[in-house]
Amino acid sequence: MARTWAIAGVDLHLELTGTRVRAALESALREAVRTGRLAAGTRLPSSRTLAVAEGWLTARSGSGTRVAARPAVPTPSAVPSPLALRPAHGHDLRAGSPDVSMFPRTAWTAAARRALQTAPPQALAYGHTCGLPELRTALAGYLARARGVHADPERIVVCAGFAQALGLLSRVLRSRGATTVAVEAYGHPQHAEIIAAEGLRARPVPVDAHGAVIGTPADALLLTPAHQFPLGVTLAAHRRTEAVRWAHETGGLVIEDDYDGEFRYDRQPVGALQALAPEHVVYAGTASKSLAPGLRLAWLVLPAHLLEEVTEAKRLADGHTSTLDQLTLAELVTRGDYDRQIRRCRLAYRRRRDRLTAALHREVPHVRVAGVSAGLHALLTLPRGTDEQDLVTRAARRGLALEALTTYRRPSEADTPEPYGPALVVGYATPPPHAYTAALARLCATLADRR
Ligand SMILES: Cc1ncc(COP(=O)(O)O)c(C=O)c1O
């Protein structure tokens, strides 16, 4: 028997089992509190309406019945909490996150308000699997203009981050009989895991000064052409041509992960590879660097032959991405606030990049800095023989989180010599502005302390 009580506009739903209502109620409440479904402080119906299970609830005259505070019960889980991934104290110069304090709260709130005021009720019903037409149209215009993408709104699928997009693509490739995705020998560790989780083999290909080496036999090739993650090189023009030729000749699919393509500083803008062969290249963009990773908003521009299957995979995965967030982003893009945000961040990150390179040059000239003409991270190459891991440990003792290049290495089965020496990947966008000076000082102190 299920019962629902409405308290101050909040429903309390409990599953009651058995015929003795008081005992069933007590047990259902205990279970709801124990599992955390009812948090400490949750307002409940009065104890007259509800049989109070002693110890689990508190009743105070005038303030109603509430769930009593109790010590937190650790939930067994092999997966670390996402919050555990970033240190609560200290400084963080690991790559991956932009400065989330630069999120355009005012513009986002105004866009959300406008979107809600003008959207018909139907906009809040189950929506289009591929994404709302408003957002797909806005994105198509933006991507064509800012990144040179051949973007037709009908070819766009809005996803919950690139992570989901890559999972959907992998699933579709697998269902078509694919077995292997070539990935750059250095990259985001999660992406190779996502590919593997869908039953495909991620086969690393070398990356040199011209970007990924093209030609490894595979069903698909995942690239970061504008700014290789994390080495920072740009895929050279001849490699772009080779990638497209490879796709034409083998029928392989190129997946272009354009995660930070908007952030370029003192080099010519590099347009999307997708424009060279829209029927062979999937373009993938994300709001994780330009706005915030917590939004979980990304977009694919697909070749016609993949559209139906990717849409079906998205439908099965989660129906569609949050309508409200899509409407808000559509407003932001249409009104120019998204461009303003990019410009503001580009300027701020460029200043940070300049401060980083100047400080390293001045304080630790033995460290070589690369990959800084674009993006939000730098590659710091250390003298031969330096123990990367030891540096990371010493930085941690100074309250600074750093990451070694080896964290991003995807070892290849071919016993190729390691082309990159000891290095650190420094995400200079991550700290909030007030913490950047201190983070830089700790970085330089750690690097200067050569033992
Ligand atoms: C190489 C690369 N691609 C894509 C992304 C964005 O992923 P998502 O959209 O899932 O946040 C990141 C974020 O760190 C990244 O490092």
Side-chain angles (χ1 to χ4, degrees):
M1 173 187 22
R3 289 245 352 230
T4 301
W5 288 265
I7 334 122
V10 179
D11 285 349
L12 168 66
H13 177 91
L14 295 172
E15 287 291 334
L16 306 185
T17 51
T19 49
R20 293 175 54 233
V21 173
R22 186 187 161 94
L25 196 54
E26 279 184 20
S27 137
L29 263 173
R30 226 179 269 126
E31 187 60 12
V33 176
R34 193 186 61 74
T35 57
R37 188 163 72 82
L38 292 179
T42 303
R43 185 100 197 270
L44 297 175
S46 80
S47 50
R48 271 196 311 281
T49 321
L50 206 62
V52 174
E54 62 295 343
W56 295 87
L57 306 179
T58 57
R60 216 179 297 144
S61 67
S63 76
T65 304
R66 290 174 191 271
V67 174
R70 50 196 286 272
V73 183
T75 39
S77 168
V79 183
S81 141
L83 291 178
L85 302 176
R86 298 265 157 202
H89 307 291
H91 297 276
D92 195 349
L93 282 176
R94 292 174 298 173
S97 180
D99 174 6
V100 283
S101 78
M102 297 227 325
F103 182 78
R105 288 178 189 234
T106 309
W108 183 269
T109 311
R113 193 179 305 114
R114 275 197 308 271
L116 257 184
Q117 277 165 348
T118 53
Q122 199 49 34
L124 296 172
Y126 286 114
H128 298 254
T129 298
C130 298
L132 291 174
E134 292 90 330
L135 178 58
R136 286 188 283 131
T137 303
L139 283 174
Y142 170 77
L143 294 173
R145 171 168 58 76
R147 302 294 302 125
V149 176
H150 267 243
D152 172 348
E154 299 295 324
R155 298 276 192 94
I156 293 180
V157 175
V158 178
C159 295
F162 177 69
Q164 183 186 50
L166 181 61
L168 300 181
L169 286 169
S170 302
R171 200 164 306 161
V172 168
L173 287 168
R174 182 82 188 97
S175 72
R176 286 182 166 197
T179 57
T180 311
V181 178
V183 296
E184 294 161 324
Y186 292 85
H188 197 305
Q190 193 196 7
H191 296 164
E193 286 172 14
I194 290 171
I195 291 166
E198 294 300 334
L200 295 164
R201 202 162 64 135
R203 176 182 285 170
V205 301
V207 181
D208 63 19
H210 304 287
V213 177
I214 312 293
T216 297
D219 299 292
L221 170 58
L222 172 61
L223 294 175
T224 46
H227 189 232
Q228 205 283 331
F229 187 82
L231 299 172
V233 291
T234 305
L235 192 66
H238 69 277
R239 290 277 168 81
R240 288 158 70 92
T241 312
E242 284 170 25
V244 169
R245 195 183 314 133
W246 171 85
H248 274 288
E249 287 172 0
T250 66
L253 182 74
V254 176
I255 302 169
E256 176 175 24
D257 175 9
D258 194 36
Y259 65 104
D260 69 357
E262 288 96 348
F263 297 105
R264 54 169 196 280
Y265 311 115
D266 31 29
R267 66 150 207 228
Q268 288 299 318
V270 183
L273 174 65
Q274 182 262 9
L276 301 180
E279 295 306 329
H280 296 270
V281 181
V282 177
Y283 174 88
T286 176
S288 288
K289 306 288 185 199
S290 51
L291 291 170
L295 280 179
R296 308 315 297 136
L297 278 173
W299 38 90
L300 290 175
V301 184
L302 292 158
H305 66 94
L306 278 172
L307 190 58
E308 209 176 297
E309 286 158 87
V310 172
T311 305
E312 180 58 5
K314 171 71 179 167
R315 186 183 71 79
L316 292 176
D318 62 2
H320 62 83
T321 296
S322 154
T323 302
L324 273 183
D325 289 341
Q326 288 191 61
L327 283 172
T328 306
L329 181 59
E331 276 283 321
L332 217 66
V333 175
T334 311
R335 300 221 171 203
D337 289 321
Y338 189 72
D339 284 85
R340 272 187 283 282
Q341 164 76 358
I342 303 264
R343 279 202 298 276
R344 192 166 77 95
C345 292
R346 196 184 286 149
L347 205 65
Y349 296 150
R350 183 195 185 119
R351 281 201 200 107
R352 286 186 183 213
R353 191 252 347 224
D354 291 346
R355 288 182 59 195
L356 170 74
T357 49
L360 292 171
H361 188 66
R362 192 176 57 240
E363 314 251 338
V364 281
H366 61 281
V367 174
R368 237 174 14 89
V369 189
V372 286
S373 60
L376 314 183
H377 68 271
L379 185 73
L380 272 51
T381 305
L382 309 162
R384 206 171 277 283
T386 309
D387 182 340
E388 283 179 352
Q389 225 44 61
D390 175 57
L391 254 183
V392 170
T393 308
R394 284 195 281 122
R397 275 197 220 113
R398 291 177 191 267
L400 173 67
L402 280 181
E403 219 137 48
L405 177 61
T406 40
T407 312
Y408 298 96
R409 179 142 192 256
R410 296 162 172 164
S412 127
E413 61 266 39
D415 213 8
T416 47
E418 175 56 68
Y420 293 92
L424 296 173
V425 179
V426 167
Y428 53 83
T430 309
H434 68 266
Y436 191 57
T437 303
L440 269 190
R442 285 173 203 215
L443 173 68
C444 289
T446 308
L447 293 167
D449 178 17
R450 298 168 79 180
R451 285 178 296 138

